[in-house]
């Protein structure tokens, strides 16, 4: 282990014996009392020295035996310490690619703030390189989401969409003006390649199964479901994000593939829900809950979905950029293993005030996705066994 104080946290002295790590309350910590020799020793925790060398330096500074181990332990438990050599073989491989690491260094610093164990942050960053995400939709939201995910180190980002790039699809960070008239999928793939810090690692060939051997290859592998870490559904028509078609997600539910909805409908941005098949509310639950509260909803939705739109849909540039940033953030948090505020919830904001608020999306008992039964089972277990939640 080569201990290093997390560089993302600014350090300052509140008084002669108390040090504060971090500025913003979300991650700031105060440690003390701390003597002058220990405060000087902190400058040696820069990741260039292993513990044996740190012990030698401590003896030269007159620090008592065991002081280094106690200090390193306290800093580690406080979540203030990282390991410049930790993270495992995949992290070592990433460190060996200096150009890639330079592109991802700011992301690594941010990840360290939500990682408690030394070496955990670069382990998560390296794990992203082996992940595969599919973005369905290459409009102002979807294209930018794909670019952000690729730029943040996700190894493979696929984009699906039809048609050709229209002038109103263009957005800073998304599809450029030069792509107008090109196929959307081709333009989006080029955007992803240009945003990624390097080429993704070579993927292992998919395992064959009875499903993929069927004529026409209609199994999960043929459709691209197998091996997907997440699907982001960001249709150019925001109605399909605000009121998603449950039938369109049946293959994702059947394959157990997590999927997250996002888009802009008129002047409202929508992020969520994040669907964990069989565990959290899905598009079918959303439809059934809305229909329970508003019996005219199915009739209205059928009218809105029918026919061909004769106008350019409203999609405020600032709002679509905000949606893309928020959905990419929630997607990366999910991929990194953090709890998501988008499960069983949908975040909405409207122009002109851009105030984000969450609306609950609860599992519906009549929905065949089974999430309501899963939640009921969890609650029953918790109610009958107070130690059930401690099992993990």
């Amino acid at each position: 282990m080569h201990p290093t104080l997390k560089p993302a946290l600014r350090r300052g002295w509140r008084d002669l014996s108390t040090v504060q790590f971090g500025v913003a309350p979300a991650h700031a910590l105060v440690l003390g009392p701390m003597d002058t020799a220990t405060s000087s020793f902190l400058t040696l925790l820069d990741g260039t020295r292993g513990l044996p060398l740190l012990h030698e330096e401590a003896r030269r500074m007159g620090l008592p035996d065991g002081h280094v181990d106690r200090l390193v332990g306290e800093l580690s438990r406080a979540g203030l310490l990282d390991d410049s050599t930790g993270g495992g073989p995949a992290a070592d491989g990433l460190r060996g690619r200096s150009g890639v690491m330079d592109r991802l260094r700011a992301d690594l610093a941010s990840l360290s703030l939500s990682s408690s164990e030394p070496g955990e942050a670069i382990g998560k960053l390296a794990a992203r390189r082996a992940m595969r995400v599919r973005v369905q939709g290459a409009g102002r939201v979807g294209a930018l989401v794909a670019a952000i995910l690729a730029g943040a180190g996700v190894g493979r980002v696929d984009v699906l969409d039809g048609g050709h790039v229209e002038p109103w699809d263009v957005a800073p960070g998304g599809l450029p003006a030069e792509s107008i008239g090109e196929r959307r999928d081709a333009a989006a793939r080029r955007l992803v390649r240009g945003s990624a810090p390097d080429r993704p690692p070579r993927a292992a060939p998919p395992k064959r199964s009875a499903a993929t051997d069927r004529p026409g290859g209609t199994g999960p592998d043929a459709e691209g479901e197998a091996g997907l870490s997440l699907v982001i559904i960001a249709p150019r028509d925001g109605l399909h994000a605000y009121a998603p078609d449950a039938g369109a997600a049946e293959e994702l539910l059947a394959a157990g593939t997590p999927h997250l909805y996002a888009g802009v409908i008129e002047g409202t941005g929508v992020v969520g829900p994040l669907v964990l098949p069989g565990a959290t509310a899905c598009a079918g639950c959303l439809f059934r809950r809305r229909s329970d509260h508003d019996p005219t909803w199915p009739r209205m939705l059928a009218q809105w979905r029918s026919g061909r739109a004769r106008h350019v849909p409203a999609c405020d540039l600032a709002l679509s950029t905000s949606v893309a940033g928020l959905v990419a953030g929630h997607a990366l948090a999910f991929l990194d293993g953090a709890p998501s505020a988008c499960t069983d919830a949908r975040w909405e904001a409207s122009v002109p005030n851009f105030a984000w608020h969450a609306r609950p999306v609860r599992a519906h008992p009549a929905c065949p996705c089974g999430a309501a039964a899963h939640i009921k089972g969890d609650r029953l277990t918790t109610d009958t066994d107070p130690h059930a939640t401690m099992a993990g």
Side-chain angles (χ1 to χ4, degrees):
M1 179 180 180
H2 284 57
T4 178
L5 290 170
K6 291 183 178 179
L9 295 173
R10 299 171 188 261
R11 197 159 71 241
W13 292 89
R14 299 180 67 86
D15 54 42
L16 293 178
S17 62
T18 310
V19 62
Q20 177 172 320
F21 295 85
V23 178
H27 300 104
L29 286 171
V30 176
L31 291 185
M34 189 173 294
D35 57 63
T36 303
T38 301
S39 66
S40 299
F41 182 80
L42 289 180
T43 62
L44 303 180
L45 300 179
D46 59 2
T48 63
R49 302 169 179 84
L51 287 174
L53 183 54
L54 287 173
H55 286 135
E56 292 179 15
E57 297 281 2
R59 283 192 292 269
R60 278 195 288 269
M61 297 173 68
L63 293 172
D65 291 342
H67 187 76
V68 170
D69 292 331
R70 285 194 298 273
L71 179 63
V72 168
E74 290 175 5
L75 292 171
S76 179
R77 285 189 293 274
L80 297 172
L81 210 60
D82 210 340
D83 180 5
S84 63
T85 60
D92 291 337
L94 183 56
R95 287 190 192 94
R97 305 175 70 86
S98 59
V100 178
M101 276 303 306
D102 287 342
R103 287 278 300 272
L104 296 173
R105 206 166 294 282
D107 299 272
L108 176 61
S110 180
L111 266 175
S112 73
L113 299 178
S114 57
S115 303
S116 56
E117 296 296 324
E120 183 181 355
I122 194 167
K124 290 179 178 178
L125 196 61
R128 288 180 183 179
R129 289 169 53 79
M131 293 177 179
R132 178 184 170 208
V133 175
R134 188 171 77 204
V135 180
Q136 295 181 186
R140 282 187 163 183
V141 174
L144 183 51
V145 169
I148 294 171
L149 296 180
V154 176
R156 180 174 172 186
V157 181
D158 305 326
V159 186
L160 298 183
D161 206 345
H164 296 78
V165 178
E166 301 286 358
W168 48 87
D169 293 327
V170 171
L175 297 176
E178 301 81 55
S179 65
I180 294 174
E182 291 186 52
R183 289 180 55 89
R184 283 195 181 92
D185 56 355
R189 284 195 296 269
R190 188 170 63 252
L191 173 66
V192 166
R193 287 195 300 269
S195 301
D198 69 336
R199 295 177 63 87
R202 187 182 297 276
K207 296 180 180 179
R208 298 191 66 82
S209 65
T212 56
D213 287 336
R214 289 200 302 265
T218 56
D221 285 333
E223 293 295 331
E225 309 300 338
L228 281 168
S229 303
L230 178 67
V231 171
I232 296 173
I233 302 173
R236 285 176 286 112
D237 183 350
L239 178 64
H240 298 299
Y242 185 78
D245 181 3
E250 285 180 352
E251 289 185 4
L252 297 174
L253 289 170
T257 304
H259 46 287
L260 174 59
Y261 293 94
V264 174
I265 174 70
E266 298 166 349
T268 297
V270 176
V271 176
L274 169 62
V275 181
L276 308 179
T280 66
C282 70
C285 296
L286 183 64
F287 173 78
R288 287 172 172 82
R289 288 288 184 188
R290 184 63 182 263
S291 300
D292 288 347
H293 288 91
D294 180 4
T296 67
W297 180 249
R299 183 187 313 131
M300 299 298 295
L301 193 55
Q303 294 176 65
W304 291 327
R305 286 176 175 170
S306 64
R308 184 179 181 86
R310 296 186 176 89
H311 56 81
V312 176
C315 189
D316 181 87
L317 181 57
L319 182 61
S320 64
T321 303
S322 300
V323 169
L326 189 61
V327 72
H330 281 294
L332 289 169
F334 169 75
L335 294 173
D336 294 334
S340 174
C342 280
T343 52
D344 294 321
R346 186 168 70 183
W347 291 84
E348 298 179 7
S350 299
V351 294
N353 58 13
F354 292 89
W356 287 98
H357 58 274
R359 296 188 183 276
V361 180
R362 297 186 179 90
H364 195 282
C367 185
C369 74
H374 173 85
I375 294 170
K376 183 178 179 181
D378 280 353
R379 287 174 179 164
L380 180 62
T381 302
T382 303
D383 290 342
T384 55
D385 180 4
H387 301 291
T389 56
M390 302 295 290

